[in-house]
Structure formats: C-alpha cells, structure tokens
Amino acid sequence: MSTTGQIIRCKAAVCWEAGKPLVMEEVEVAPPQKHEVRIKILFTSLCHTDVYFWEAKGQTPLFPRIFGHEAGGIVESVGEGVTDLQPGDHVLPIFTGECGDCPHCHSEESNMCDLLRINTERGGMIHDGESRFSINGKPIHHFLGTSTFSEYTVVHSGQVAKINPEAPLDKVCIVSCGLSTGLGATLNVAKPKKGQSVAIFGLGAVGLAAAEGARIAGAGRIIGVDLNPKRFEEAKKFGVTEFVNPKEHDKPVQQVIAEMTNGGVDRSVECTGSIQAMIQAFECVHDGWGVAVLVGVPSKDDAFKTHPMNLLNERTLKGTFFGNYKPKTDIPGVVEKYMNKELELEKFITHTVPFSEINKAFDYMLKGEGIRCIITMGA
C-alpha cells in the first residue's frame, strides 16, 4: 500500500481523563516496528473491560489513552520479522497473544503466553516501550496492546488472528474478547456432555456466551443465575431454560440449585467476578463428577473460602483465561463455527453506532441496555 512506512493521520477516540467522554482527535500513527502490524480497523465494539479502565477503578490511571480491544480490520502494513501476515489480510486483534516460543505456547493445555499475556498497565509497545500514537508530538498511551478506538492501530503480530476473508467483520469482531471467553469456558473447560445440566452465574455478554456454549454442547438444562430478572427473556435466546434470582430465595442459591437438580448441576460457569457467586458456583455442582469453572475477575482482596470436603467429595474447581483459546491458533476456528452456522453471533449485537457517536456505546453499557454495541469506523 502507498502508506507503507509512512505516518498515517486518522481519527481516534481519545480518553483524556477518567470517566470523561472520549474526544474525537486527529492522531498520528507510526509505522509498525519489529514483529508489529498496522491494521485499518473497520468495526470495533465496547466491552465492559474498556469501561472499567475508562472509569479508572482499582488500577493505576494511564491517560491520555486510546481504548478498545474487540475489533475486526485489515492489515495495512507489516514490520520487520512478520512472516505470517501480509497487507490485505482480514484479522482480529486480540488483547492477549501467542508468541509461539514460550512454555505456555508450546503446551497444549495453556494459552497464557509469557510474552504477550494481558497487561493492563503497559502504555507502549513491547519492542521498545514507545507509543505508536501521538498528537502534535505528544505520545498517547496504548490499551491492552490493541487500542481499536482508532481508524488505524499498531499491534504485536502475536496478538493478531488471521481469519476467513469471507467472514463479515461487523459480526465476527465480537469473537475477539467476551464471546470467546464465555464460549470457551463452557466448550473447552467445563465440557458438558450431551443432556447434562449447566448453571451459568451472570447473564451479561460473557455469561450469555457461556450459555451459547452449553447450547452448542447439547446441554439438557441451562439454568441462568442473575440478580436482574429483566435478563431472563434475553437469555432464552441463548438456550437458558430456567432462571434463578438469588434475591427471591431465603436459602443459599447453591442449595436452591441442588434441590432443583437432585443433588447439583453437572457443570457450572461463573461469569460475574463476585467472590460470593464463585463460591456458589462451586458448591452447586454435583458431588462425584461436578465441574465448576471460574471466569469472572475478582477484586484484589477477595479470598475463596469453601470446606475442603467439597473437593474431597470429587467436585472439581477450574479457572480459565480467554476461554482457553490460543489467539492465533484457535480463534480462526471460532470464526469458522459462525460461518458454518454452528454459532449465532447476531443475537449478541443489540446496537450499532457510527464512530463519531462512540460515547453512545458507553451510555448503553452504563445503563445496562443491550449486550454488544458495534461501532462502525467509516461512519
């Protein structure tokens, strides 16, 4: 492309300070350096993680910053040493990566790359610590190595999944974070057998993706647990068959579920980040074979407390990161599930806004309206 090796000037939604509306700015995007690619972002969506760091809750504030990490686009140019990607490739940038060289990448059991694992505090690129974004010479911090709220972004090649060019980027962009996290938690970690019962704690986007995984696996009963009764109607579209609101019971919810299921569910997936829900999700699975999977991120001072007999009675507790998917190796296959009509994505997408109105996406999420809002970059 004619822009190869050149600085690109484009629009980006910049967050100048915590909790304040994003401001549309013209930014300069430097060419990709060693092991980096520059991507033209066509569609991005808003994830709760963006909102959490935009609000600067519980972490070191890093501003000005360009947020965004769920997106789809086309490679514009590649840096030195990049051999598996080329200009024109359709790709999904991912908030975590796969270097291909570390023990985690060599292990079939792990996706927690030593080099490219999620790092929320890094504001520059791994190669040199510098930002590829600037305004009038002043650097703008990156976010999760992706920063997709920009018409062009620079990403480490290990964080880029090359996908089927026939896949519609305005749909499959949501595969790059929340959807895969929930889907993989069920399909790759909980692994319910056909006809088994699954309890899903938390019916936000990740929980609904976990329910979708249970539906794909052929679960017989999918029990949704949430404090918001308004979520149940929506959850039915994702295979949820029953709903439990802990506020409506005067006994622990794990006891309610055990009574509903003759001793406990076969599998449970926790998608809230609440330590109480994590304990409930573990204690509601059946002894002998029950498996509970934790997905939500707890507060830093939380401690998980349960009686050891719950483990000795052959219940299994597992955790998962990004649904145990390796970004470069596995995410193209998730896109193929959609292309083969095994996976439904449209029902996750409840709103669409032009890039110029990106702050509306934040409003929808803060009000709890909808599941995913697609932001169209060219609009």
Side-chain angles (χ1 to χ4, degrees):
M1 292 189 180
S2 59
T3 49
T4 299
Q6 309 292 314
I7 288 172
I8 290 178
R9 288 177 176 79
C10 69
K11 287 184 198 164
V14 177
C15 182
W16 290 97
E17 60 179 297
K20 294 294 172 68
L22 306 188
V23 180
M24 205 59 68
E25 305 277 11
E26 183 179 79
V27 298
E28 295 187 340
V29 185
Q33 302 301 305
K34 192 174 182 180
H35 299 310
E36 296 171 2
V37 298
R38 189 161 59 184
I39 302 168
K40 181 178 185 177
I41 299 294
L42 298 181
F43 299 95
T44 186
S45 69
L46 180 66
C47 168
H48 189 264
T49 303
D50 296 305
V51 175
Y52 182 79
F53 283 88
W54 167 74
E55 291 176 323
K57 287 184 175 175
Q59 75 280 334
T60 308
L62 200 58
F63 300 103
R65 203 170 203 184
I66 297 173
F67 288 107
H69 64 284
E70 274 192 4
I74 297 173
V75 174
E76 174 270 337
S77 60
V78 303
E80 178 193 339
V82 177
T83 56
D84 61 330
L85 294 162
Q86 58 188 18
D89 285 345
H90 286 225
V91 294
L92 303 181
I94 313 279
F95 67 90
T96 182
E98 184 181 350
C99 72
D101 295 324
C102 72
H104 285 278
C105 286
H106 285 302
S107 167
E108 290 182 7
E109 298 178 45
S110 175
N111 66 339
M112 300 186 74
C113 175
D114 283 332
L115 179 68
L116 299 170
R117 191 180 304 185
I118 184 172
N119 184 332
T120 60
E121 297 191 357
R122 189 170 57 233
M125 299 299 290
I126 284 177
H127 173 57
D128 56 9
E130 301 293 318
S131 174
R132 304 290 175 257
F133 297 109
S134 61
I135 297 177
N136 299 325
K138 179 185 163 106
I140 307 296
H141 295 297
H142 291 248
F143 179 63
L144 302 184
T146 51
S147 292
T148 62
F149 294 166
S150 175
E151 291 176 325
Y152 285 86
T153 189
V154 176
V155 182
H156 190 287
S157 63
Q159 290 182 240
V160 180
K162 180 180 173 180
I163 62 165
N164 184 343
E166 300 295 315
L169 289 170
D170 60 334
K171 308 291 190 298
V172 299
C173 63
I174 66 170
V175 166
S176 59
C177 179
L179 182 122
S180 294
T181 296
L183 187 76
T186 305
L187 293 179
N188 298 336
V189 189
K191 296 180 180 175
K193 297 180 175 69
K194 196 171 178 63
Q196 285 191 322
S197 56
V198 181
I200 310 289
F201 285 74
L203 297 174
V206 175
L208 293 174
E212 179 77 355
R215 182 191 68 78
I216 291 170
R221 293 173 74 180
I222 305 175
I223 301 167
V225 183
D226 202 290
L227 298 170
N228 183 355
K230 292 178 183 172
R231 286 183 161 174
F232 186 42
E233 274 310 306
E234 193 79 52
K236 287 178 182 176
K237 298 177 193 172
F238 299 83
V240 175
T241 54
E242 296 153 80
F243 185 70
V244 175
N245 183 344
K247 290 193 289 194
E248 294 176 357
H249 299 274
D250 55 8
K251 58 178 80 165
V253 73
Q254 52 267 56
Q255 192 178 329
V256 173
I257 291 171
E259 290 170 4
M260 287 170 65
T261 54
N262 194 26
V265 286
D266 303 301
R267 303 286 186 265
S268 71
V269 185
E270 178 282 324
C271 304
T272 69
S274 154
I275 193 69
Q276 190 176 5
M278 293 178 183
I279 294 166
Q280 292 164 346
F282 175 56
E283 294 182 352
C284 81
V285 298
H286 207 289
D287 58 7
W289 62 80
V291 178
V293 178
L294 306 185
V295 180
V297 179
S299 299
K300 62 178 172 37
D301 297 326
D302 282 339
F304 188 96
K305 185 178 179 183
T306 191
H307 198 283
M309 284 307 299
N310 287 321
L311 288 156
L312 295 172
N313 286 336
E314 299 182 3
R315 293 177 180 88
T316 300
L317 179 64
K318 291 185 172 188
T320 177
F321 169 70
F322 191 50
N324 275 46
Y325 286 118
K326 290 181 188 283
K328 293 178 79 73
T329 303
D330 298 331
I331 291 306
V334 179
V335 171
E336 289 310 306
K337 277 185 187 294
Y338 168 72
M339 297 300 283
N340 297 335
K341 296 188 166 52
E342 297 168 48
L343 172 64
E344 298 170 18
L345 296 180
E346 284 82 359
K347 60 194 178 186
F348 287 90
I349 298 166
T350 50
H351 297 86
T352 304
V353 297
F355 188 35
S356 59
E357 297 177 18
I358 189 171
N359 288 303
K360 278 189 179 175
F362 281 76
D363 292 338
Y364 293 138
M365 185 162 283
L366 291 169
K367 290 174 185 170
E369 295 175 8
I371 305 169
R372 275 293 184 265
C373 179
I374 302 296
I375 298 149
T376 305
M377 301 304 282

